[in-house]
Amino acid sequence: YGTLPSRRALKNSRLVSQKDDVHLCIMCLRAIMNYQYGFNLVMSHPHAVNEIALSLNNKNPRMKALVLELLAAVCLVRGGHEIILAAFDNFKEVCKEKHRFERLMEYFRNEDSSIDFMVACMQFINIVVHSVEDMNFRVHLQYEFTKLGLEEFLQKSRHTESEKLQVQIQAYLDNVFDVGGLLEDAETKNVALEKVEELEEHLSHLTEKLLDLENENMMRVAELEKQLLQREKELEVVKVCWGAIGAGRSREGMIKEKDEAFRRHYGSEPPPLPSSEPPPPQPEPSEETLRLPVLPPTGRSLVLEDSRGWTVPRIGVSPSDGFTGKCPPAPPLPGASPSIALTVGLSAIRIKKPIKTKFRLPVFNWTALKPSQISGTVFSELDDERVLEDLDLERFEELFKTKAQGPALDLVCAKSKAAQKVATKVTLLEANRAKNLAITLRKAGRSADEICRAIHTFDLATLPVDFVECLMRFLPTEAEAKALRQYERERKPLEELADEDRFMLQFSKVERLPQRMAIMAFLGNFAENVQMLTPVQSW
């Protein structure tokens, strides 16, 4: 019996043989899984991966490294991650672990003498944690290993001498999600987004103000262009008038020069006759012949005629001069035709004082005549004082005063009532834009129904092209249309809206509004565009 082995020796030999058998089986499985067919058989087997994971309960670090390499290979295959997690769940139940991966982390911390096992273990953890697409699940797996003390151990092991282990540790730390940092970044992003919204809103307000200023400037430029055209027409008229006046003055100057030349050459004696024969004796004029006609008060020139039919002007002649002697006839001026009569002395110009009124009255659309132009017209014969005596001026002013005026007390009351009425109105449009729209609509003198009906029918007789072009600047924006639809959707009373908002609400309901307005503008300007494009024919 002394030569037979004891029971304890037999038991230890069995354990050693079992461990060697497990190591041998893992080596065989590794050889099988190197081929696609064998790998698929292992993956499809219900207990193969679980048994491989249970093989980690071994003291041989080389064998545990081999097991982790096989499990990492399985984890990288599609659907393999779920199989690995299920295998470690089974490992937890069989080995009575409190937390999943607890035994693995224990081996990782204690087997610091085996670099190959630590590299394989760190590689397996990287694959398990960072091969997940779902970020929430990835943070969950990361938290599992953090609870088991992985990050603290990695901070201590960062300066290991093994380059392979350093690479795996650095890869894990680089891919770790810092949840606190992400939360701060999210808060910073939210603050930045709020700031961007505020800036966009401010930018939209500035853009609207810029558009309003552009609209006002365009309207002002259009008005100034019209005034410029009117002034150019007036300038042409003035040029024509001054041309005629200059020609008349040149003729008068020529006559005066000839008269002065006549006086310098002949003095007060008449010029000699052009023929060499002495002039025939003239009869002495009688008193009837010397009786001169009475000049009118305007101081016009007196024209005397002799027996030959010549006319000789006598400047400044009046009955008070008392001609008593002989008045010999005189021939015409040298170079002058016998029918020329010099007119000197203009009528006295009386400037009428303007009539002051208590109210502003309408002004006629005409060009007032100058004082020098009313001679011989009905205005020179009118007596304003006599007309004012017969006219009830107070009643005349009350009847014809402009509508914008009234008694002071009534005007103040009207302003207070209008202010109260405006205060109760709801406006959805920007203040300047609403004011400009009100001015444009007031110039048109049309209701919203008439304007929208004219747009539907392309009625340019109702809406002139100038008004259409002005109205195109007030096409409702997307924000205005949205606000008006929201107001109408909430079934709020439309009477509380301001007139401009009610018009904009009805205006925005016109189908294909921008296209219709563009068509009306094109139709209105078509004839003018054709005229501008037509070449001028040269004769």
Side-chain angles (χ1 to χ4, degrees), residues 204-304:
S204 64
H205 287 315
L206 292 179
T207 304
E208 290 179 0
K209 290 182 179 179
L210 180 61
L211 292 175
D212 293 337
L213 291 175
E214 289 180 354
N215 293 333
E216 291 181 1
N217 291 333
M218 291 178 68
M219 294 177 67
R220 193 174 302 168
V221 167
E223 186 176 355
L224 292 175
E225 288 179 352
K226 291 182 180 178
Q227 293 180 3
L228 179 61
L229 292 176
Q230 183 67 24
R231 295 297 181 270
E232 289 179 352
K233 292 180 181 178
E234 294 177 359
L235 181 61
E236 292 296 329
V237 174
V238 170
K239 287 181 178 179
V240 173
C241 294
W242 274 107
I245 293 174
R249 287 183 176 178
S250 63
R251 288 195 297 270
E252 291 180 1
M254 183 176 66
I255 294 174
K256 288 181 179 180
E257 289 177 358
K258 292 183 178 180
D259 188 20
E260 290 176 357
F262 166 75
R263 288 176 177 276
R264 286 194 304 269
H265 190 273
Y266 296 105
S268 59
E269 296 297 330
L273 292 176
S275 60
S276 59
E277 299 178 358
Q282 297 291 336
E284 296 183 358
S286 62
E287 293 183 358
E288 295 180 358
T289 309
L290 293 176
R291 189 176 298 156
L292 300 176
V294 180
L295 290 175
T298 56
R300 298 182 183 273
S301 62
L302 178 65
V303 179
L304 301 179

Side-chain angles (χ1 to χ4, degrees), residues 367-387:
T367 303
L369 294 174
K370 297 179 181 179
S372 60
Q373 296 176 339
I374 63 173
S375 178
T377 64
V378 68
F379 298 104
S380 63
E381 300 175 1
L382 287 177
D383 188 357
D384 293 349
E385 296 180 358
R386 183 176 179 182
V387 172

Side-chain angles (χ1 to χ4, degrees), residues 262 266 269-274 306 308 310-313 328-334 336 338:
F262 166 75
Y266 296 105
E269 296 297 330
L273 292 176
D306 67 346
R308 298 172 183 242
W310 295 337
T311 60
V312 179
L333 297 176

